[in-house]
Amino acid sequence: MHDVRLTFGAFQIARQLEPTVGFAWATRVMGFVMLFNTAVIITLAKPRHASRIKGPLVEWSSFREWPFTLFSIGIFLTLWGVYFAYYYVCTASMISMAAHAQNETLTRVHANIDDHVWEGGHPCLVFNIAHASHHPKRGWHPRSSDPSLTRGQIFRCIQHIDSIRFGFRYPLALLDWSFELQWICRLSDRVRHTLQCRADAVSLDFIQSHHRSE
Amino acid sequence: MTKIVAGEPATDEYELELSKKLMEITEPPPDGGLTAWSQVLVSHLLVVNGFGYISSFSLFESHWVAVLGRSASEISWVGSMQMFLLFFVGTLSGRAMDAGFFRSLIYVGCTMQILGTFTTSACQAYWQLFLSQGIANGLGNGLLFTPAVALVGTYFSKKRALALGFAACGAPVGGIVFPIVCRKSENIVLWCI
């Protein structure tokens, strides 16, 4: 009987220690992955830059360009909503999912994969690359960017679908949080949407006028 | 400081080096080639280590809520501090890169990032977690993020958006890789122990 109790006690301790020990080592493994990446970074990194000793710490004059200002406000509000999902998705999934599915949910959020899309093997990561490569403001280089309104609109739509999914679906549908948080998310999304559309229009006008002048 | 005039021969070694750099920067970006694309890889990996790791904070959130017995709101302050430092220190590190401290930023930033990650694995109290993951990792990310983006911009002109797109994809790639690594290694290491 004593042996059984001892065994049961040891089993309980092991069960309590299991996630802690496992997670500590899992974090260290992530650290080793980062260490490997760092070795590659230090080996390959080669700056192509002339030193600029003088000059202001922050170039405030950049905000005189309307597209830049609007884009800054837009991206501020975009990031405001994005990290709700990243931070709380595992906590939220603890409520409604099995333990093994929690990390998978996080992976899916990052890969931007919906359930039916996952089954079809069609990750939207590809769209993100394509979107980034065609969006003028990502590179902030109006001279060489594609000013095509149609293509810009298509990729903008994809981004809005992404951001709506990130900003609304995961934190609100899974967590069902307080009214205040929902209100902030909705407000920020509406303002961000309006500002980004405006920023798009202004920047496309800017690019087109620049091309015409050339 | 001696003023360098274009076309005039440089006398000092420092001046010679500086004039070489100035000549290099006046040349148009190569827009391709092995060196340029290897910098995209560098930037991509920096974003994997930075944003990829931060985006996986949900892993830590659920774990620390259970282990430290704190509320999700309290634990999320760690991630929020990490993110705040990334962007805030980024405004200063960009200027430091302009001033020619790229190598120093890389060394210090990577060291702090890795130090923060390894010390996170040994945390047993909330303040330790805040210090390691919130402050150390956040400062490391802040020192690296802006140089990572700016580095690609100096090598590309016409293909800059594409190159930056590939570099920025480090965030989702890291966000996919780290949870998978965590899930798999947790089981493997436990089995070994």
Side-chain angles (χ1 to χ4, degrees):
Chain A
M1 188 66 186
H2 181 73
D3 287 349
V4 172
R5 275 186 192 166
L6 196 67
T7 311
F8 183 72
F11 179 70
Q12 285 292 323
I13 291 165
R15 271 186 69 99
Q16 284 173 4
L17 280 175
E18 190 180 60
T20 312
V21 173
F23 193 83
W25 272 102
T27 310
R28 280 168 211 152
V29 172
M30 284 196 268
F32 282 117
V33 171
M34 290 168 83
L35 196 62
F36 173 78
N37 289 347
T38 303
V40 178
I41 288 162
I42 289 172
T43 311
L44 295 179
K46 189 185 170 195
R48 182 182 178 275
H49 215 277
S51 299
R52 188 168 66 94
I53 306 294
K54 290 181 181 177
L57 193 64
V58 180
E59 200 75 58
W60 295 108
S61 59
S62 304
F63 289 99
R64 285 179 193 157
E65 287 182 35
W66 271 108
F68 182 80
T69 307
L70 293 173
F71 177 67
S72 301
I73 298 168
I75 205 76
F76 173 82
L77 293 167
T78 303
L79 291 172
W80 190 351
V82 163
Y83 289 93
F84 283 124
Y86 286 151
Y87 283 17
Y88 288 107
V89 70
C90 281
T91 315
S93 59
M94 281 167 79
I95 301 164
S96 56
M97 291 180 192
H100 68 272
Q102 288 165 23
N103 287 3
E104 194 177 309
T105 314
L106 183 61
T107 310
R108 286 184 181 200
V109 170
H110 285 111
N112 209 356
I113 299 166
D114 210 338
D115 287 343
H116 65 277
V117 180
W118 177 268
E119 284 161 16
H122 185 206
C124 291
L125 190 67
V126 179
F127 284 120
N128 283 338
I129 298 169
H131 165 69
S133 66
H134 284 93
H135 198 272
K137 290 194 295 303
R138 285 284 174 96
W140 201 255
H141 191 70
R143 276 172 186 271
S144 58
S145 300
D146 189 348
S148 163
L149 193 64
T150 315
R151 205 184 295 180
Q153 278 175 338
I154 291 166
F155 286 113
R156 182 46 109 200
C157 284
I158 290 166
Q159 199 211 13
H160 278 303
I161 292 163
D162 292 353
S163 63
I164 288 163
R165 186 181 298 169
F166 274 167
F168 279 104
R169 185 173 163 180
Y170 284 98
L172 298 182
L174 289 176
L175 288 178
D176 192 21
W177 271 351
S178 65
F179 173 77
E180 286 80 9
L181 187 62
Q182 291 186 32
W183 184 80
I184 288 167
C185 283
R186 281 179 188 147
L187 181 72
S188 71
D189 200 72
R190 280 178 194 163
V191 176
R192 178 187 57 73
H193 183 91
T194 312
L195 285 170
Q196 284 196 336
C197 286
R198 181 66 191 143
D200 263 354
V202 173
S203 60
L204 285 169
D205 282 349
F206 175 73
I207 292 160
Q208 281 168 343
S209 63
H210 194 84
H211 275 262
R212 274 197 294 272
S213 67
E214 279 186 343
Chain B
M1 186 182 285
T2 318
K3 196 177 177 182
I4 295 174
V5 181
E8 283 185 11
T11 51
D12 195 275
E13 196 177 331
Y14 171 75
E15 288 175 29
L16 193 68
E17 187 67 27
L18 195 60
S19 62
K20 271 182 189 172
K21 280 186 177 179
L22 285 169
M23 276 180 72
E24 192 180 290
I25 204 70
T26 49
E27 285 174 13
D31 246 330
L34 191 62
T35 313
W37 286 109
S38 69
Q39 301 317 303
V40 176
L41 177 66
V42 165
S43 184
H44 180 86
L45 292 176
L46 281 168
V47 177
V48 167
N49 281 3
F51 268 102
Y53 187 69
I54 287 178
S55 304
S56 310
F57 185 75
S58 191
L59 288 171
F60 299 99
E61 173 90 27
S62 56
H63 171 76
W64 293 117
V65 164
V67 171
L68 297 178
R70 298 273 186 151
S71 68
S73 172
E74 281 176 298
I75 301 296
S76 69
W77 271 106
V78 176
S80 301
M81 178 52 73
Q82 200 179 5
M83 183 55 72
F84 167 74
L85 286 173
L86 187 148
F87 286 113
F88 184 73
V89 178
T91 58
L92 309 173
S93 64
R95 184 67 187 86
M97 186 192 174
D98 284 351
F101 295 105
F102 179 79
R103 281 269 159 204
S104 311
L105 288 168
I106 291 285
Y107 288 135
V108 177
C110 287
T111 306
M112 291 196 76
Q113 217 174 38
I114 290 164
L115 190 73
T117 308
F118 278 108
T119 48
T120 302
S121 69
C123 286
Q124 290 181 337
Y126 181 72
W127 68 269
Q128 293 171 349
L129 178 68
F130 197 87
L131 200 64
S132 60
Q133 192 161 9
I135 306 291
N137 214 297
L139 282 172
N141 290 334
L143 292 173
L144 294 172
F145 173 61
T146 311
V149 177
L151 181 68
V152 176
T154 58
Y155 277 92
F156 288 90
S157 174
K158 287 178 184 173
K159 293 177 185 171
R160 186 180 290 175
L162 179 69
L164 279 170
F166 279 119
C169 280
V173 167
I176 293 164
V177 168
F178 284 125
I180 292 170
V181 165
C182 182
R183 191 176 58 206
K184 297 287 180 192
S185 59
E186 204 171 351
N187 297 331
I188 290 166
V189 174
L190 273 173
W191 180 78
C192 290
I193 288 168

PDB file of all heavy atoms in Angstrom, chain B residues 21-51:
ATOM      1  N   LYS B  21      33.771  54.895 -49.340  1.00  0.00           N
ATOM      2  CA  LYS B  21      32.384  54.623 -48.957  1.00  0.00           C
ATOM      3  C   LYS B  21      31.427  55.559 -49.672  1.00  0.00           C
ATOM      4  O   LYS B  21      30.358  55.163 -50.119  1.00  0.00           O
ATOM      5  CB  LYS B  21      32.211  54.775 -47.443  1.00  0.00           C
ATOM      6  CG  LYS B  21      32.688  53.578 -46.652  1.00  0.00           C
ATOM      7  CD  LYS B  21      32.354  53.740 -45.190  1.00  0.00           C
ATOM      8  CE  LYS B  21      32.771  52.513 -44.401  1.00  0.00           C
ATOM      9  NZ  LYS B  21      32.485  52.652 -42.975  1.00  0.00           N
ATOM     10  N   LEU B  22      31.833  56.850 -49.752  1.00  0.00           N
ATOM     11  CA  LEU B  22      30.983  57.833 -50.428  1.00  0.00           C
ATOM     12  C   LEU B  22      30.823  57.514 -51.901  1.00  0.00           C
ATOM     13  O   LEU B  22      29.747  57.637 -52.480  1.00  0.00           O
ATOM     14  CB  LEU B  22      31.581  59.241 -50.259  1.00  0.00           C
ATOM     15  CG  LEU B  22      31.407  59.882 -48.885  1.00  0.00           C
ATOM     16  CD1 LEU B  22      32.262  61.124 -48.755  1.00  0.00           C
ATOM     17  CD2 LEU B  22      29.949  60.221 -48.624  1.00  0.00           C
ATOM     18  N   MET B  23      31.925  57.057 -52.514  1.00  0.00           N
ATOM     19  CA  MET B  23      31.867  56.671 -53.928  1.00  0.00           C
ATOM     20  C   MET B  23      30.931  55.487 -54.120  1.00  0.00           C
ATOM     21  O   MET B  23      30.163  55.420 -55.060  1.00  0.00           O
ATOM     22  CB  MET B  23      33.265  56.316 -54.430  1.00  0.00           C
ATOM     23  CG  MET B  23      34.069  57.542 -54.861  1.00  0.00           C
ATOM     24  SD  MET B  23      35.677  57.066 -55.446  1.00  0.00           S
ATOM     25  CE  MET B  23      35.257  56.318 -56.990  1.00  0.00           C
ATOM     26  N   GLU B  24      31.008  54.555 -53.138  1.00  0.00           N
ATOM     27  CA  GLU B  24      30.180  53.353 -53.227  1.00  0.00           C
ATOM     28  C   GLU B  24      28.693  53.676 -53.136  1.00  0.00           C
ATOM     29  O   GLU B  24      27.872  53.156 -53.858  1.00  0.00           O
ATOM     30  CB  GLU B  24      30.570  52.404 -52.099  1.00  0.00           C
ATOM     31  CG  GLU B  24      30.001  51.006 -52.253  1.00  0.00           C
ATOM     32  CD  GLU B  24      30.438  50.116 -51.103  1.00  0.00           C
ATOM     33  OE1 GLU B  24      31.630  49.780 -51.065  1.00  0.00           O
ATOM     34  OE2 GLU B  24      29.606  49.785 -50.267  1.00  0.00           O
ATOM     35  N   ILE B  25      28.393  54.632 -52.210  1.00  0.00           N
ATOM     36  CA  ILE B  25      26.987  54.940 -51.989  1.00  0.00           C
ATOM     37  C   ILE B  25      26.395  55.744 -53.137  1.00  0.00           C
ATOM     38  O   ILE B  25      25.204  55.704 -53.395  1.00  0.00           O
ATOM     39  CB  ILE B  25      26.787  55.657 -50.628  1.00  0.00           C
ATOM     40  CG1 ILE B  25      25.364  55.464 -50.117  1.00  0.00           C
ATOM     41  CG2 ILE B  25      27.103  57.145 -50.701  1.00  0.00           C
ATOM     42  CD1 ILE B  25      25.065  54.086 -49.679  1.00  0.00           C
ATOM     43  N   THR B  26      27.261  56.496 -53.862  1.00  0.00           N
ATOM     44  CA  THR B  26      26.742  57.236 -55.008  1.00  0.00           C
ATOM     45  C   THR B  26      26.458  56.318 -56.195  1.00  0.00           C
ATOM     46  O   THR B  26      25.704  56.663 -57.079  1.00  0.00           O
ATOM     47  CB  THR B  26      27.722  58.336 -55.442  1.00  0.00           C
ATOM     48  OG1 THR B  26      29.015  57.746 -55.558  1.00  0.00           O
ATOM     49  CG2 THR B  26      27.761  59.481 -54.466  1.00  0.00           C
ATOM     50  N   GLU B  27      27.080  55.130 -56.166  1.00  0.00           N
ATOM     51  CA  GLU B  27      26.767  54.153 -57.212  1.00  0.00           C
ATOM     52  C   GLU B  27      25.360  53.619 -56.986  1.00  0.00           C
ATOM     53  O   GLU B  27      24.936  53.471 -55.839  1.00  0.00           O
ATOM     54  CB  GLU B  27      27.759  52.988 -57.155  1.00  0.00           C
ATOM     55  CG  GLU B  27      29.122  53.320 -57.705  1.00  0.00           C
ATOM     56  CD  GLU B  27      30.105  52.186 -57.494  1.00  0.00           C
ATOM     57  OE1 GLU B  27      29.661  51.076 -57.146  1.00  0.00           O
ATOM     58  OE2 GLU B  27      31.305  52.424 -57.650  1.00  0.00           O
ATOM     59  N   PRO B  28      24.628  53.312 -58.079  1.00  0.00           N
ATOM     60  CA  PRO B  28      23.274  52.785 -57.882  1.00  0.00           C
ATOM     61  C   PRO B  28      23.307  51.415 -57.210  1.00  0.00           C
ATOM     62  O   PRO B  28      24.292  50.671 -57.353  1.00  0.00           O
ATOM     63  CB  PRO B  28      22.743  52.685 -59.321  1.00  0.00           C
ATOM     64  CG  PRO B  28      23.935  52.662 -60.186  1.00  0.00           C
ATOM     65  CD  PRO B  28      24.994  53.433 -59.473  1.00  0.00           C
ATOM     66  N   PRO B  29      22.261  51.056 -56.464  1.00  0.00           N
ATOM     67  CA  PRO B  29      22.225  49.746 -55.816  1.00  0.00           C
ATOM     68  C   PRO B  29      22.320  48.624 -56.845  1.00  0.00           C
ATOM     69  O   PRO B  29      21.798  48.767 -57.961  1.00  0.00           O
ATOM     70  CB  PRO B  29      20.856  49.718 -55.122  1.00  0.00           C
ATOM     71  CG  PRO B  29      20.454  51.138 -55.017  1.00  0.00           C
ATOM     72  CD  PRO B  29      21.072  51.845 -56.168  1.00  0.00           C
ATOM     73  N   PRO B  30      22.970  47.523 -56.538  1.00  0.00           N
ATOM     74  CA  PRO B  30      23.167  46.459 -57.531  1.00  0.00           C
ATOM     75  C   PRO B  30      21.868  45.786 -57.988  1.00  0.00           C
ATOM     76  O   PRO B  30      21.827  45.223 -59.081  1.00  0.00           O
ATOM     77  CB  PRO B  30      24.051  45.451 -56.795  1.00  0.00           C
ATOM     78  CG  PRO B  30      23.941  45.768 -55.356  1.00  0.00           C
ATOM     79  CD  PRO B  30      23.634  47.216 -55.260  1.00  0.00           C
ATOM     80  N   ASP B  31      20.839  45.819 -57.147  1.00  0.00           N
ATOM     81  CA  ASP B  31      19.528  45.249 -57.506  1.00  0.00           C
ATOM     82  C   ASP B  31      19.583  43.767 -57.841  1.00  0.00           C
ATOM     83  O   ASP B  31      18.803  43.256 -58.639  1.00  0.00           O
ATOM     84  CB  ASP B  31      18.920  46.011 -58.691  1.00  0.00           C
ATOM     85  CG  ASP B  31      17.668  46.750 -58.275  1.00  0.00           C
ATOM     86  OD1 ASP B  31      16.978  46.284 -57.365  1.00  0.00           O
ATOM     87  OD2 ASP B  31      17.401  47.804 -58.875  1.00  0.00           O
ATOM     88  N   GLY B  32      20.513  43.070 -57.302  1.00  0.00           N
ATOM     89  CA  GLY B  32      20.645  41.630 -57.551  1.00  0.00           C
ATOM     90  C   GLY B  32      22.040  41.153 -57.247  1.00  0.00           C
ATOM     91  O   GLY B  32      22.855  41.920 -56.704  1.00  0.00           O
ATOM     92  N   GLY B  33      22.290  39.916 -57.570  1.00  0.00           N
ATOM     93  CA  GLY B  33      23.617  39.349 -57.300  1.00  0.00           C
ATOM     94  C   GLY B  33      23.629  38.631 -55.962  1.00  0.00           C
ATOM     95  O   GLY B  33      22.735  38.806 -55.125  1.00  0.00           O
ATOM     96  N   LEU B  34      24.681  37.844 -55.785  1.00  0.00           N
ATOM     97  CA  LEU B  34      24.769  36.972 -54.600  1.00  0.00           C
ATOM     98  C   LEU B  34      24.821  37.780 -53.299  1.00  0.00           C
ATOM     99  O   LEU B  34      24.117  37.457 -52.335  1.00  0.00           O
ATOM    100  CB  LEU B  34      26.008  36.083 -54.719  1.00  0.00           C
ATOM    101  CG  LEU B  34      26.114  34.946 -53.712  1.00  0.00           C
ATOM    102  CD1 LEU B  34      24.971  33.959 -53.848  1.00  0.00           C
ATOM    103  CD2 LEU B  34      27.458  34.235 -53.852  1.00  0.00           C
ATOM    104  N   THR B  35      25.629  38.834 -53.295  1.00  0.00           N
ATOM    105  CA  THR B  35      25.762  39.630 -52.060  1.00  0.00           C
ATOM    106  C   THR B  35      24.429  40.264 -51.680  1.00  0.00           C
ATOM    107  O   THR B  35      24.027  40.225 -50.512  1.00  0.00           O
ATOM    108  CB  THR B  35      26.819  40.741 -52.252  1.00  0.00           C
ATOM    109  OG1 THR B  35      27.967  40.170 -52.861  1.00  0.00           O
ATOM    110  CG2 THR B  35      27.204  41.373 -50.949  1.00  0.00           C
ATOM    111  N   ALA B  36      23.758  40.843 -52.665  1.00  0.00           N
ATOM    112  CA  ALA B  36      22.495  41.534 -52.390  1.00  0.00           C
ATOM    113  C   ALA B  36      21.443  40.549 -51.858  1.00  0.00           C
ATOM    114  O   ALA B  36      20.774  40.819 -50.858  1.00  0.00           O
ATOM    115  CB  ALA B  36      21.997  42.221 -53.651  1.00  0.00           C
ATOM    116  N   TRP B  37      21.318  39.398 -52.512  1.00  0.00           N
ATOM    117  CA  TRP B  37      20.296  38.431 -52.072  1.00  0.00           C
ATOM    118  C   TRP B  37      20.684  37.772 -50.755  1.00  0.00           C
ATOM    119  O   TRP B  37      19.809  37.364 -49.991  1.00  0.00           O
ATOM    120  CB  TRP B  37      20.021  37.386 -53.154  1.00  0.00           C
ATOM    121  CG  TRP B  37      19.214  37.953 -54.282  1.00  0.00           C
ATOM    122  CD1 TRP B  37      19.629  38.217 -55.540  1.00  0.00           C
ATOM    123  CD2 TRP B  37      17.836  38.385 -54.229  1.00  0.00           C
ATOM    124  NE1 TRP B  37      18.623  38.772 -56.289  1.00  0.00           N
ATOM    125  CE2 TRP B  37      17.506  38.891 -55.506  1.00  0.00           C
ATOM    126  CE3 TRP B  37      16.870  38.421 -53.241  1.00  0.00           C
ATOM    127  CZ2 TRP B  37      16.247  39.398 -55.814  1.00  0.00           C
ATOM    128  CZ3 TRP B  37      15.604  38.930 -53.535  1.00  0.00           C
ATOM    129  CH2 TRP B  37      15.299  39.412 -54.811  1.00  0.00           C
ATOM    130  N   SER B  38      21.995  37.682 -50.496  1.00  0.00           N
ATOM    131  CA  SER B  38      22.394  37.148 -49.185  1.00  0.00           C
ATOM    132  C   SER B  38      22.007  38.118 -48.071  1.00  0.00           C
ATOM    133  O   SER B  38      21.704  37.695 -46.955  1.00  0.00           O
ATOM    134  CB  SER B  38      23.902  36.862 -49.151  1.00  0.00           C
ATOM    135  OG  SER B  38      24.616  38.058 -49.195  1.00  0.00           O
ATOM    136  N   GLN B  39      21.949  39.424 -48.370  1.00  0.00           N
ATOM    137  CA  GLN B  39      21.488  40.395 -47.374  1.00  0.00           C
ATOM    138  C   GLN B  39      19.986  40.262 -47.133  1.00  0.00           C
ATOM    139  O   GLN B  39      19.504  40.535 -46.034  1.00  0.00           O
ATOM    140  CB  GLN B  39      21.829  41.827 -47.817  1.00  0.00           C
ATOM    141  CG  GLN B  39      23.300  42.093 -48.046  1.00  0.00           C
ATOM    142  CD  GLN B  39      24.212  41.503 -46.991  1.00  0.00           C
ATOM    143  OE1 GLN B  39      24.065  41.807 -45.810  1.00  0.00           O
ATOM    144  NE2 GLN B  39      25.127  40.626 -47.387  1.00  0.00           N
ATOM    145  N   VAL B  40      19.264  39.839 -48.174  1.00  0.00           N
ATOM    146  CA  VAL B  40      17.827  39.555 -47.989  1.00  0.00           C
ATOM    147  C   VAL B  40      17.672  38.376 -47.018  1.00  0.00           C
ATOM    148  O   VAL B  40      16.810  38.393 -46.131  1.00  0.00           O
ATOM    149  CB  VAL B  40      17.139  39.251 -49.346  1.00  0.00           C
ATOM    150  CG1 VAL B  40      15.681  38.854 -49.151  1.00  0.00           C
ATOM    151  CG2 VAL B  40      17.218  40.466 -50.253  1.00  0.00           C
ATOM    152  N   LEU B  41      18.520  37.372 -47.190  1.00  0.00           N
ATOM    153  CA  LEU B  41      18.500  36.216 -46.276  1.00  0.00           C
ATOM    154  C   LEU B  41      18.827  36.659 -44.844  1.00  0.00           C
ATOM    155  O   LEU B  41      18.162  36.233 -43.888  1.00  0.00           O
ATOM    156  CB  LEU B  41      19.499  35.150 -46.751  1.00  0.00           C
ATOM    157  CG  LEU B  41      19.636  33.924 -45.862  1.00  0.00           C
ATOM    158  CD1 LEU B  41      18.345  33.103 -45.853  1.00  0.00           C
ATOM    159  CD2 LEU B  41      20.809  33.047 -46.292  1.00  0.00           C
ATOM    160  N   VAL B  42      19.825  37.523 -44.722  1.00  0.00           N
ATOM    161  CA  VAL B  42      20.205  38.049 -43.399  1.00  0.00           C
ATOM    162  C   VAL B  42      19.013  38.757 -42.757  1.00  0.00           C
ATOM    163  O   VAL B  42      18.665  38.509 -41.590  1.00  0.00           O
ATOM    164  CB  VAL B  42      21.411  39.018 -43.531  1.00  0.00           C
ATOM    165  CG1 VAL B  42      21.590  39.849 -42.274  1.00  0.00           C
ATOM    166  CG2 VAL B  42      22.677  38.257 -43.842  1.00  0.00           C
ATOM    167  N   SER B  43      18.389  39.630 -43.537  1.00  0.00           N
ATOM    168  CA  SER B  43      17.242  40.385 -43.032  1.00  0.00           C
ATOM    169  C   SER B  43      16.094  39.441 -42.665  1.00  0.00           C
ATOM    170  O   SER B  43      15.431  39.625 -41.639  1.00  0.00           O
ATOM    171  CB  SER B  43      16.802  41.377 -44.106  1.00  0.00           C
ATOM    172  OG  SER B  43      15.776  42.170 -43.638  1.00  0.00           O
ATOM    173  N   HIS B  44      15.881  38.433 -43.522  1.00  0.00           N
ATOM    174  CA  HIS B  44      14.825  37.437 -43.280  1.00  0.00           C
ATOM    175  C   HIS B  44      15.066  36.729 -41.943  1.00  0.00           C
ATOM    176  O   HIS B  44      14.154  36.587 -41.125  1.00  0.00           O
ATOM    177  CB  HIS B  44      14.813  36.437 -44.433  1.00  0.00           C
ATOM    178  CG  HIS B  44      13.788  35.360 -44.309  1.00  0.00           C
ATOM    179  ND1 HIS B  44      12.490  35.516 -44.743  1.00  0.00           N
ATOM    180  CD2 HIS B  44      13.868  34.118 -43.785  1.00  0.00           C
ATOM    181  CE1 HIS B  44      11.816  34.408 -44.498  1.00  0.00           C
ATOM    182  NE2 HIS B  44      12.629  33.542 -43.917  1.00  0.00           N
ATOM    183  N   LEU B  45      16.297  36.320 -41.706  1.00  0.00           N
ATOM    184  CA  LEU B  45      16.625  35.594 -40.466  1.00  0.00           C
ATOM    185  C   LEU B  45      16.523  36.509 -39.245  1.00  0.00           C
ATOM    186  O   LEU B  45      16.132  36.058 -38.168  1.00  0.00           O
ATOM    187  CB  LEU B  45      18.029  34.978 -40.567  1.00  0.00           C
ATOM    188  CG  LEU B  45      18.172  33.830 -41.574  1.00  0.00           C
ATOM    189  CD1 LEU B  45      19.621  33.376 -41.651  1.00  0.00           C
ATOM    190  CD2 LEU B  45      17.275  32.664 -41.226  1.00  0.00           C
ATOM    191  N   LEU B  46      16.887  37.776 -39.436  1.00  0.00           N
ATOM    192  CA  LEU B  46      16.739  38.732 -38.325  1.00  0.00           C
ATOM    193  C   LEU B  46      15.266  38.891 -37.954  1.00  0.00           C
ATOM    194  O   LEU B  46      14.927  38.972 -36.775  1.00  0.00           O
ATOM    195  CB  LEU B  46      17.328  40.092 -38.718  1.00  0.00           C
ATOM    196  CG  LEU B  46      18.849  40.223 -38.655  1.00  0.00           C
ATOM    197  CD1 LEU B  46      19.307  41.502 -39.331  1.00  0.00           C
ATOM    198  CD2 LEU B  46      19.346  40.211 -37.212  1.00  0.00           C
ATOM    199  N   VAL B  47      14.415  38.923 -38.974  1.00  0.00           N
ATOM    200  CA  VAL B  47      12.968  39.049 -38.711  1.00  0.00           C
ATOM    201  C   VAL B  47      12.426  37.751 -38.097  1.00  0.00           C
ATOM    202  O   VAL B  47      11.563  37.795 -37.221  1.00  0.00           O
ATOM    203  CB  VAL B  47      12.214  39.446 -40.006  1.00  0.00           C
ATOM    204  CG1 VAL B  47      10.719  39.516 -39.769  1.00  0.00           C
ATOM    205  CG2 VAL B  47      12.694  40.789 -40.512  1.00  0.00           C
ATOM    206  N   VAL B  48      12.956  36.603 -38.533  1.00  0.00           N
ATOM    207  CA  VAL B  48      12.555  35.323 -37.915  1.00  0.00           C
ATOM    208  C   VAL B  48      12.870  35.359 -36.423  1.00  0.00           C
ATOM    209  O   VAL B  48      12.018  35.044 -35.589  1.00  0.00           O
ATOM    210  CB  VAL B  48      13.283  34.129 -38.586  1.00  0.00           C
ATOM    211  CG1 VAL B  48      13.123  32.861 -37.759  1.00  0.00           C
ATOM    212  CG2 VAL B  48      12.750  33.884 -39.992  1.00  0.00           C
ATOM    213  N   ASN B  49      14.089  35.752 -36.090  1.00  0.00           N
ATOM    214  CA  ASN B  49      14.507  35.793 -34.681  1.00  0.00           C
ATOM    215  C   ASN B  49      13.747  36.854 -33.887  1.00  0.00           C
ATOM    216  O   ASN B  49      13.548  36.685 -32.689  1.00  0.00           O
ATOM    217  CB  ASN B  49      16.005  36.103 -34.579  1.00  0.00           C
ATOM    218  CG  ASN B  49      16.852  34.888 -34.847  1.00  0.00           C
ATOM    219  OD1 ASN B  49      16.342  33.824 -35.166  1.00  0.00           O
ATOM    220  ND2 ASN B  49      18.152  35.029 -34.718  1.00  0.00           N
ATOM    221  N   GLY B  50      13.371  37.928 -34.534  1.00  0.00           N
ATOM    222  CA  GLY B  50      12.696  39.021 -33.836  1.00  0.00           C
ATOM    223  C   GLY B  50      11.189  38.866 -33.822  1.00  0.00           C
ATOM    224  O   GLY B  50      10.602  38.438 -32.831  1.00  0.00           O
ATOM    225  N   PHE B  51      10.579  39.180 -34.964  1.00  0.00           N
ATOM    226  CA  PHE B  51       9.119  39.139 -35.034  1.00  0.00           C
ATOM    227  C   PHE B  51       8.563  37.724 -34.923  1.00  0.00           C
ATOM    228  O   PHE B  51       7.487  37.514 -34.379  1.00  0.00           O
ATOM    229  CB  PHE B  51       8.633  39.782 -36.341  1.00  0.00           C
ATOM    230  CG  PHE B  51       8.339  41.236 -36.196  1.00  0.00           C
ATOM    231  CD1 PHE B  51       9.225  42.189 -36.635  1.00  0.00           C
ATOM    232  CD2 PHE B  51       7.172  41.656 -35.594  1.00  0.00           C
ATOM    233  CE1 PHE B  51       8.961  43.535 -36.491  1.00  0.00           C
ATOM    234  CE2 PHE B  51       6.886  42.986 -35.439  1.00  0.00           C
ATOM    235  CZ  PHE B  51       7.783  43.927 -35.892  1.00  0.00           C
TER     236      PHE B  51
END
